[in-house]
Amino acid sequence: MIENAVGLYALPLGIAQHFIINGKLVLVPMAIEEPSVIAGVSYMAKLAQAGGGFRASATAPEMIGQIQLLDLADLAAAEALILMHKDELLASLHGLHPTIEALGGGAKDLQVRQIATSPIGHFLVVHLIYDVRDVMGANAVNSAAERLAGPLEALTGGRAHLRILSNLADRRLAKAEVTIPTSALAFGAFSGEQVRDGILEAWAFAAVDPYRAATHNKGIMNGIDAVVIATGNDWRSVEAGAHAYAARSGHYTSLSLWEKTENGDLHGALELPLAVGITGGSTQAHPSVHANLKLLGAKSSGELAGIIASVGLAQNLAALRALATEGIQRGHMRLHARQVALSAGAEPAQVAPLAEQLVREDNIRIERAQEILREWSEQK
Ligand code: MEV
């Protein structure tokens, strides 16, 4: 799949449970090295079942290809010319991707943006709106943007410079929503109302403060990236799109929204660009990806995007619930202890008992793990 390959770099692959999404039970493969994430989303998905699970949707899989047009004397005149000849320009892309077009996708629209000032002066940006159907679409959009460059130059007399997709895929949005009955949030000494209000206070912090929003959104991406990776999609493009979308108002903020419903339940929603495919790219070339997609059973890129958004929302809820109550470290350290045990050289059968002892002693350090292993080998 790549140049100069010398081997494979493996990540743990797990399966998140209990997700009911649009009324359907879904098993979600997740590839991630961080402990607690899969346990966290599975537990939240179980809580969400009390409110009917997640509702997910996605807009049309429309990507944006950008063409930068330089050396134009009159931007407004060039824009008018492009818009006047829009139909011919779009028609010039006909037949470029016959499979996508046969499924109803292809070039849909052209939009023109005038950049009045920049370090190199003014220029035009043409946005090609291209429906990529069930593929991630980078190759499809990039080749369409490259193909359109010639006709745009011929029409305007300008010079087409960059021709590349935008990862701010804000026309290809996925949305997930969940309502959790407050009673289902109660645990230990915490009442449902305490947990709900604690989550709302935590969310308010992320809504107004970019320092907190970055961490809050990182938690969301813990869930999202893991499914994006397991399904062979491009997590860097999803990350770039998510954070650019989080800053779309000019102020970087939370990607999710949590509120109290009229009857006092907790309601959460998450919306973000999700350029993911169920076919094409590495989805066919990589055997694990193929198996993971089969397990998920998504019938379209939009359905996959909805599942991924649901997992992101569940992960956000898991983090906020922990942070707003007992703190994140308690559950985290238990799983971290397993990694410490492995790093200390524990045999597979020793990992669980060693991790348990480290947690019991409240001393999850590699030196202590090595000491215990030495004691055990001396006792043999
Ligand atoms: C850790 O990987 C993610 C969290 O920091 C997210 C958050 O703070 O909301 C726990």
Side-chain angles (χ1 to χ4, degrees), residues 278-363:
I278 55 165
T279 181
S282 70
T283 55
Q284 263 98 33
H286 193 299
S288 306
V289 166
H290 192 72
N292 291 338
L293 283 166
K294 204 167 161 192
L295 178 72
L296 270 171
K299 301 275 183 296
S300 67
S301 60
E303 192 181 336
L304 174 61
I307 293 171
I308 295 175
S310 303
V311 177
L313 187 60
Q315 176 57 27
N316 186 217
L317 178 60
L320 297 187
R321 175 182 170 277
L323 288 166
T325 56
E326 58 188 14
I328 210 82
Q329 286 309 87
R330 197 161 162 258
H332 205 73
M333 290 318 271
R334 193 168 286 280
L335 288 157
H336 175 61
R338 294 176 67 90
Q339 292 187 356
V340 171
L342 277 169
S343 310
E347 297 294 327
Q350 293 175 315
V351 174
L354 179 54
E356 267 163 39
Q357 182 161 342
L358 294 172
V359 171
R360 236 184 357 260
E361 292 179 2
D362 196 16
N363 188 1

Side-chain angles (χ1 to χ4, degrees), residues 56-63 132-133 135-136 167-176 220-221 223-225 227-228 231 233-235 237-239 241-242 245 270-277 301-313:
S57 58
T59 58
E62 288 180 352
M63 298 290 286
V132 298
R133 297 285 93 191
V135 294
M136 183 274 175
N167 285 125
L168 177 49
D170 61 1
R171 302 177 64 95
R172 196 179 185 180
L173 297 172
K175 188 168 182 181
I220 292 173
M221 301 316 285
I224 288 184
D225 285 341
V227 191
V228 171
T231 54
N233 280 292
D234 180 347
W235 74 95
S237 85
V238 168
E239 281 280 342
Y245 193 66
L270 172 67
E271 183 187 76
L272 77 165
L274 270 175
V276 291
S301 60
E303 192 181 336
L304 174 61
I307 293 171
I308 295 175
S310 303
V311 177
L313 187 60

Side-chain angles (χ1 to χ4, degrees), residues 256-279:
S256 64
L257 188 148
W258 291 96
E259 60 196 354
K260 189 163 91 172
T261 64
E262 260 170 29
N263 64 4
D265 292 337
L266 179 68
H267 178 262
L270 172 67
E271 183 187 76
L272 77 165
L274 270 175
V276 291
I278 55 165
T279 181

Side-chain angles (χ1 to χ4, degrees), residues 32 34-35 37 202 206 212-220 222 315-316 318-320 322-323 328-329 332:
I32 185 162
E34 183 170 329
V37 172
R212 172 58 204 152
T215 322
H216 175 100
N217 290 341
K218 189 273 182 183
I220 292 173
N222 276 345
Q315 176 57 27
N316 186 217
L320 297 187
L323 288 166
I328 210 82
Q329 286 309 87
H332 205 73

